[in-house]
Amino acid sequence: LQNVVHVTITGVACTWYFMSRNMPSYPTLGALRRSLTSSFGSICLGSLVVALLQLLRAIASSGKASDGSVTFMGSCFACLLDWIEASMEYFNQYAYVQVAMYGKSFVQASKDTWSLVKDCGISALINDSLISRTLMLTVFLASIAVGILAPLPFQDPEWTWYALEVFLGFLIALFILSSFLKVVHSSIQAIFVCYAEQPEV
């Protein structure tokens, strides 16, 4: 479901990037329809690859020697699989942009994403690193502000429940804002790929 949402958001962002002067009506519905029909197999294949890596990592991390200790090689293999899984999840986000942008199969989108990474890989890494950290800091600071300020109008004179109200306000704001800013992050990834593919638009 998360990848379907990501492909839908990136599809809308790509539509805006390439067709901003002649925007079709209901671009979100069109992107959702494409992600649930013609691109759904590509989304499932990318998710399956990550799920298989998670399964292998779980098997590797559960492997123990007969005396109950984890073997050194098993730990190294589990660490390697963890790194491969994280890299694949990161790589898939950009491959899904290719799927949303052109309607490619997952294999072709992965090949094109690999070419894109070879051409401007460090820029993508810097882009994601800066954007992710900025969005995370924004969500955290805004959640703190909401947590502190939201209970003030409903405050009882003795301030007995203020700490609980601040904590609950912080958690609710953190959940809502992080969900909203995932949309922003997906859009930024899509615009980055669109710009890297065709900067003259």
Side-chain angles (χ1 to χ4, degrees):
L1 181 63
Q2 180 179 353
N3 292 332
V4 170
V5 171
H6 177 69
V7 171
T8 302
I9 293 166
T10 57
V12 172
C14 292
T15 302
W16 171 81
Y17 185 82
F18 290 114
M19 305 178 77
S20 61
R21 293 189 185 121
N22 190 16
M23 190 72 128
S25 58
Y26 307 111
T28 307
L29 288 177
L32 179 63
R33 183 179 43 80
R34 285 189 303 274
S35 66
L36 290 175
T37 56
S38 59
S39 299
F40 193 66
S42 299
I43 295 169
C44 290
L45 182 59
S47 300
L48 178 66
V49 170
V50 172
L52 289 175
L53 287 171
Q54 289 173 343
L55 175 68
L56 287 174
R57 184 175 50 86
I59 291 171
S61 63
S62 68
K64 294 184 178 181
S66 59
D67 62 351
S69 64
V70 177
T71 62
F72 176 73
M73 289 303 290
S75 296
C76 289
F77 187 63
C79 181
L80 177 67
L81 285 174
D82 190 37
W83 179 80
I84 292 172
E85 176 192 342
S87 300
M88 191 66 190
E89 286 177 356
Y90 177 76
F91 184 79
N92 277 359
Q93 297 302 310
Y94 286 98
Y96 288 144
V97 174
Q98 296 275 343
V99 168
M101 189 169 19
Y102 298 117
K104 298 177 181 175
S105 69
F106 180 74
V107 174
Q108 185 61 44
S110 297
K111 288 178 185 177
D112 292 346
T113 302
W114 183 250
S115 298
L116 185 70
V117 166
K118 286 194 299 188
D119 292 343
C120 57
I122 194 69
S123 299
L125 189 60
I126 290 170
N127 174 48
D128 252 13
S129 182
L130 290 175
I131 296 301
S132 296
R133 294 197 191 330
T134 304
L135 291 177
M136 192 179 348
L137 182 64
T138 302
V139 165
F140 188 72
L141 292 176
S143 298
I144 290 173
V146 168
I148 291 171
L149 297 176
L152 288 179
F154 309 106
Q155 196 57 42
D156 62 347
E158 297 165 7
W159 296 68
T160 53
W161 294 97
Y162 186 69
L164 179 64
E165 291 169 347
V166 166
F167 181 69
L168 287 176
F170 171 78
L171 287 181
I172 292 169
L174 187 70
F175 174 75
I176 292 171
L177 290 173
S178 62
S179 298
F180 174 73
L181 287 181
K182 284 180 186 177
V183 173
V184 174
H185 190 259
S186 293
S187 300
I188 290 170
Q189 284 180 331
I191 291 169
F192 176 80
V193 171
C194 290
Y195 182 77
E197 293 264 330
Q198 296 183 13
E200 67 276 356
V201 172

